[in-house]
């Protein structure tokens, strides 16, 4: 399984979303993500994750590498820095979304793969798309 994940930043804050009750790790916070389906590219999956689950469109994105999921066997995560349109998200796949400073991210009950992404971001001198 392949999963695209978007790290959206605006004014020094990052968009995180809370997983709904009907999925594993319900109540955990994560960066918006979606599984690659059918003939989708990683980029298509990323765009669909933002549009289908948050009803926002991507303006641009930049890859941040890849890593194996801690939560799902045979799953590879492909995070991207993402710039989204300025529209407020209308949630259809999450039960809550928040813009949070990087410093405060770790105060949330984070999905384990999101913690891995935060560690990757910490190693980058400047976080921007």
């Amino acid at each position: 399984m392949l999963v695209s994940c978007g790290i959206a930043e605006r004014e020094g804050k990052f968009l995180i979303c809370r997983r709904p009750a009907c999925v594993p790790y319900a109540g955990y916070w994560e960066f918006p993500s979606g599984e690659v389906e059918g003939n989708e590219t990683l980029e298509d999956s990323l765009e669909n994750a933002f549009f289908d689950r948050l009803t926002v469109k991507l303006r641009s994105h930049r890859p941040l590498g890849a890593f194996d999921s801690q939560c799902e066997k045979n799953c590879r995560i492909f995070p991207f820095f993402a710039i989204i349109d300025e529209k407020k998200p209308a949630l259809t796949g999450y039960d809550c979304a928040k813009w949070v400073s990087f410093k405060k991210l770790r105060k949330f009950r984070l999905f384990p793969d999101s913690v891995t992404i935060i560690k990757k971001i910490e190693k980058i001198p400047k976080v921007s798309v």
Side-chain angles (χ1 to χ4, degrees), residues 1-8 30-37 40-47 49-50 58 61-70 72 74-82 111 113-114 116-118 120-121:
M1 172 185 356
L2 304 176
V3 173
S4 292
C5 176
I7 300 104
E30 67 180 1
F31 295 106
S33 60
E35 186 177 331
V36 175
E37 297 179 12
E40 277 186 329
T41 63
L42 291 167
E43 292 80 2
D44 291 340
S45 172
L46 182 67
E47 288 176 12
F50 276 91
L58 287 178
H61 58 277
R62 182 180 54 144
L64 181 63
F67 64 94
D68 292 325
S69 173
Q70 296 178 40
E72 184 78 32
N74 301 316
C75 178
R76 190 101 171 124
I77 311 290
F78 294 85
F80 290 82
F81 285 118
F111 186 68
D113 291 334
S114 291
T116 301
I117 292 168
I118 290 170
K120 286 175 112 18
I121 294 171

Side-chain angles (χ1 to χ4, degrees), residues 3-4 12-13 28 31 33 43 45 91 94 102 110 119:
V3 173
S4 292
K13 294 186 177 182
Y28 280 73
F31 295 106
S33 60
E43 292 80 2
S45 172
L91 306 176
Y94 291 106
F102 191 78
L110 295 170
K119 289 176 183 177

Side-chain angles (χ1 to χ4, degrees), residues 78-125:
F78 294 85
F80 290 82
F81 285 118
I83 295 178
I84 61 175
D85 65 17
E86 295 300 317
K87 183 177 135 183
K88 183 178 178 180
L91 306 176
T92 60
Y94 291 106
D95 64 10
C96 188
K98 292 184 180 204
W99 289 95
V100 179
S101 70
F102 191 78
K103 190 175 186 177
K104 292 184 180 178
L105 278 173
R106 290 186 185 262
K107 293 184 179 185
F108 287 79
R109 186 172 154 205
L110 295 170
F111 186 68
D113 291 334
S114 291
V115 173
T116 301
I117 292 168
I118 290 170
K119 289 176 183 177
K120 286 175 112 18
I121 294 171
E122 286 174 332
K123 294 178 183 177
I124 298 171

